[in-house]
């Protein structure tokens, strides 16, 4: 059976990981390559690198980082953040990224999803959607969740699927950072409406939250950052617990 | 050992090159018939869409060259599918090495299949040291139907051929270059054939 995936997300700035990490035996906690290797050894199924660099120069260092990660890591990884052109994606894939994730740029110019899917195949096009529930309506937000739009989450997700997205990375702004669990109701609705994989993001605080998002939220994968980086939830133990709950995972 | 990765513009070949580099082998990327013919082992990669990939092969004459190769050839993902008779993707005639057809998954499962699934019913030296039900990383919307050349199967809505072998031609639907230590073992096995 296809297993549920556990995906640590690393924020990258100027080619280095930001936000703290707390792994005992890391020589350099800011080195994305070393962190990525460590996660691969722990049994992470995939990795996501989110480039939060503000300048183009800094983004060039990300290409270099991608090359080094691809050189040394034997599991798939996705690169996102500030990607808005076919050329940029071409460069990232050439450096060895397996997938790219696009977010605001797809909202601004939805044809980008078609262009990327046609040129590189749907399998490497992840559309990330940040959304917030206000009065029972889920609205898409841009620029890391800071700019609200009138776009409905479910309509937008359906549209990007039709345009050729291979996967949806859905982050609930209501849940992100709370450690109170994932947005399982919205996730389950996405999974029912769409026929492409859905990655749950935002809200992971304990093991039960992962169990719930796979069972109730029908998520295909779950992404988290701090609970992994600070060792609050070690991935090997998480996977063993999921297995005990009859959730298929790669052990 | 001269290892050539056929470079016809299809997808993420860097990852394959790096995976061999981790095993201490410097693979050559090439679309030159001379270079390919002179190789000890050949990787036929492919990510993307079948009909456009086949067109790229035709433009360079590789569609004629590849089926005639005598060295061990490993088709990966779309590379494996293009070695089959026919694929529904883009209604494309394949290279006809493997006597089977490639079909799209039904919508009773999510398409593409993306992630780690197990390979079983293993029968080939390619899988030496690989246990039954080992996890491999897969990303695909189309699958090869069973045939006599099936050397591994996987379940996803139905049971399909996740690896094929005909004489010196091997094909794997999964990505050994992205499948952690077990994937590395398969690449090592290919090098040892």
């Amino acid at each position: 059976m296809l297993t549920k995936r556990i995906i640590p997300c690393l924020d990258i700035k100027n080619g280095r990981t930001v936000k703290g990490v707390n792994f005992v035996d890391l020589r350099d906690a800011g080195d994305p390559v070393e962190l990525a290797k460590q996660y691969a050894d722990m049994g992470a199924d995939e990795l996501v690198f989110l480039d939060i660099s503000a300048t183009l120069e800094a983004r060039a260092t990300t290409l270099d980082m991608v090359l080094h990660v691809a050189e040394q890591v034997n599991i798939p990884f996705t690169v996102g953040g500030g990607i808005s052109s076919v050329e940029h994606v071409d460069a990232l894939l050439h450096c060895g990224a397996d997938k790219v994730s696009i977010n605001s740029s797809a909202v601004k110019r939805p044809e980008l999803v078609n262009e990327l899917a046609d040129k590189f195949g749907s399998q490497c096009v992840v559309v990330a959607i940040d959304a917030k529930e206000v009065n029972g309506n889920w609205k898409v937000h841009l620029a890391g969740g800071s700019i609200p739009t009138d776009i409905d989450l479910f309509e937008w997700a359906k549209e990007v699927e039709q345009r050729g997205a291979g996967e949806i990375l859905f982050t609930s702004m209501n849940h992100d950072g709370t450690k109170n669990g994932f947005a399982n109701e919205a996730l389950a609705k996405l999974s029912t409406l769409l026929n492409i994989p859905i990655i749950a993001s935002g809200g992971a605080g304990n093991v039960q939250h992962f169990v719930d998002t796979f069972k109730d939220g029908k998520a295909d994968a779950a992404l988290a950052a701090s609970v992994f980086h600070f060792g609050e939830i070690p991935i090997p133990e998480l996977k063993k617990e999921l297995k005990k709950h009859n959730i298929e995972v790669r052990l | 050992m001269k290892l050539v990765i056929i470079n016809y513009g299809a997808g993420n070949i860097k990852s394959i090159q790096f995976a061999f580099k981790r095993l201490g082998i410097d693979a050559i990327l090439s679309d030159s018939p001379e270079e390919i013919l002179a190789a000890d082992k050949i990787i036929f990669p492919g990510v993307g869409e079948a009909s456009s990939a086949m067109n790229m092969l035709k433009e360079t004459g590789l569609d004629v060259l590849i089926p005639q190769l005598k060295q061990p050839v490993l088709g990966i993902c779309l590379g494996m599918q293009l070695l089959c008779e026919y694929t529904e993707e883009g209604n494309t005639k394949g290279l006809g090495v493997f006597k089977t057809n490639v079909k799209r998954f039904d919508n009773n499962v999510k398409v593409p299949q993306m992630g780690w699934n197990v390979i079983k019913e293993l029968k080939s030296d390619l899988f030496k040291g690989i246990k039954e039900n080992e996890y491999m990383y897969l990303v695909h919307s189309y699958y090869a139907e069973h045939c006599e050349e099936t050397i591994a199967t996987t379940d996803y809505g139905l049971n399909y051929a996740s690896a094929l072998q005909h004489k010196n031609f091997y094909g794997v639907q999964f990505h050994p270059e992205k499948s952690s230590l077990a994937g590395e073992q398969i690449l090592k096995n290919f090098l040892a054939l």
Side-chain angles (χ1 to χ4, degrees):
Chain A
M1 245 178 89
L2 182 65
T3 62
K4 302 290 187 182
R5 287 169 284 154
I6 299 296
I7 309 177
C9 177
L10 299 160
D11 285 352
I12 301 295
K13 199 174 184 180
N14 306 325
R16 305 269 298 163
T17 40
V18 292
K19 282 186 186 170
V21 283
N22 188 17
F23 286 168
V24 231
D25 42 357
L26 267 188
R27 278 172 300 155
D28 177 1
D31 178 6
V33 178
E34 211 183 326
L35 258 178
K37 277 169 76 174
Q38 188 118 353
Y39 274 126
D41 291 346
M42 282 180 192
D45 296 303
E46 270 183 53
L47 298 166
V48 168
F49 294 94
L50 189 61
D51 187 2
I52 56 168
S53 304
T55 65
L56 284 175
E57 270 170 328
R59 295 233 163 88
T61 62
T62 304
L63 279 181
D64 205 41
M65 180 213 82
V66 169
L67 197 66
H68 290 298
V69 172
E71 235 169 10
Q72 299 197 39
V73 177
N74 57 12
I75 60 168
F77 66 97
T78 302
V79 181
I83 299 169
S84 58
S85 72
V86 170
E87 293 72 29
H88 191 178
V89 171
D90 197 34
L92 286 164
L93 296 180
H94 264 98
C95 287
D98 296 283
K99 307 185 231 179
V100 295
S101 105
I102 53 171
N103 191 333
S104 301
S105 58
V107 176
K108 286 177 197 145
R109 205 173 66 79
E111 298 75 27
L112 180 64
V113 181
N114 305 68
E115 291 166 13
L116 296 178
D118 290 346
K119 179 141 196 279
F120 309 107
S122 292
Q123 81 290 333
C124 68
V125 184
V126 182
V127 175
I129 307 177
D130 298 333
K132 193 172 183 177
E133 187 182 24
V134 183
N135 303 323
N137 295 311
W138 282 93
K139 295 294 181 193
V140 174
H141 282 55
L142 301 181
S146 57
I147 305 171
T149 73
D150 262 341
I151 302 164
D152 176 77
L153 160 67
F154 303 102
E155 284 171 21
W156 175 236
K158 193 77 204 161
E159 179 177 341
V160 297
E161 178 188 40
Q162 282 158 358
R163 287 181 180 276
E167 198 166 32
I168 302 280
L169 167 55
F170 164 52
T171 304
S172 161
M173 307 311 300
N174 305 69
H175 297 71
D176 200 26
T178 64
K179 298 200 173 185
N180 284 330
F182 294 92
N184 293 326
E185 219 172 294
L187 281 160
K189 192 172 167 187
L190 280 174
S191 240
T192 311
L193 282 173
L194 273 61
N195 203 43
I196 54 176
I198 312 289
I199 306 170
S201 159
N206 60 41
V207 171
Q208 188 61 40
H209 294 152
F210 286 87
V211 174
D212 294 343
T213 204
F214 290 133
K215 289 204 162 168
D216 306 335
K218 298 181 181 162
D220 298 284
L223 176 142
S226 60
V227 290
F228 296 143
H229 300 333
F230 293 106
E232 291 163 33
I233 305 180
I235 290 174
E237 271 125 83
L238 169 62
K239 286 186 143 185
K240 273 180 217 149
E241 280 300 312
L242 291 172
K243 189 89 181 175
K244 274 189 205 157
H245 286 84
N246 294 319
I247 294 165
E248 284 291 328
V249 285
R250 178 178 67 108
L251 283 175
Chain B
M1 162 80 63
K2 186 175 176 183
L3 178 71
V4 169
I5 301 173
I6 301 180
N7 182 12
Y8 61 106
N12 190 350
I13 49 179
K14 208 78 186 170
S15 297
I16 301 175
Q17 197 179 21
F18 284 145
F20 281 108
K21 204 173 162 195
R22 290 194 291 271
L23 299 176
I25 301 281
D26 280 320
I28 300 158
L29 304 180
S30 178
D31 63 350
S32 134
E34 293 75 31
E35 192 118 56
I36 293 168
L37 284 167
D40 299 309
K41 301 265 161 60
I42 295 155
I43 303 289
F44 179 35
V47 174
E49 197 273 329
S51 65
S52 45
M54 190 54 83
N55 284 337
M56 289 191 268
L57 290 174
K58 282 180 180 161
E59 278 169 24
T60 46
L62 289 171
D63 61 321
V64 179
L65 179 84
I66 291 170
Q68 294 172 7
L69 291 168
K70 300 287 179 248
Q71 312 91 319
V73 177
L74 178 64
I76 297 177
C77 195
L78 181 64
M80 181 203 88
Q81 296 187 354
L82 294 177
L83 287 168
C84 298
E85 294 272 356
Y86 167 81
T87 167
E88 285 185 357
E89 188 177 21
N91 192 19
T92 307
K93 190 175 178 301
L95 300 176
V97 170
F98 301 129
K99 302 294 170 227
T100 190
N101 293 325
V102 176
K103 294 188 160 178
R104 194 176 193 278
F105 283 121
D106 282 337
N107 281 335
N108 60 347
V109 286
K110 288 195 176 183
V111 184
Q113 168 171 230
M114 190 174 296
W116 299 78
N117 201 337
V118 299
I119 54 169
K120 54 188 183 170
E121 300 175 77
L122 309 177
K123 42 180 181 192
S124 166
D125 284 349
L126 194 60
F127 301 123
K128 220 179 233 177
I130 301 291
K131 61 180 201 294
E132 283 286 312
N133 296 307
E134 183 57 84
Y135 292 103
M136 290 291 151
Y137 185 76
L138 299 135
V139 187
H140 61 127
S141 303
Y142 295 78
Y143 67 93
E145 288 185 300
H146 280 305
C147 63
E148 283 184 3
E149 293 154 339
T150 301
I151 53 168
T153 77
T154 293
D155 292 324
Y156 191 60
L158 47 78
N159 185 249
Y160 67 93
S162 46
L164 296 159
Q165 182 192 348
H166 174 75
K167 294 181 181 165
N168 56 317
F169 288 91
Y170 298 78
V172 291
Q173 181 61 63
F174 47 86
H175 288 273
E177 76 280 12
K178 286 285 164 183
S179 294
S180 194
L181 298 175
E184 284 179 13
Q185 183 60 47
I186 290 174
L187 295 180
K188 274 188 212 165
N189 290 345
F190 177 69
L191 293 174
L193 285 172

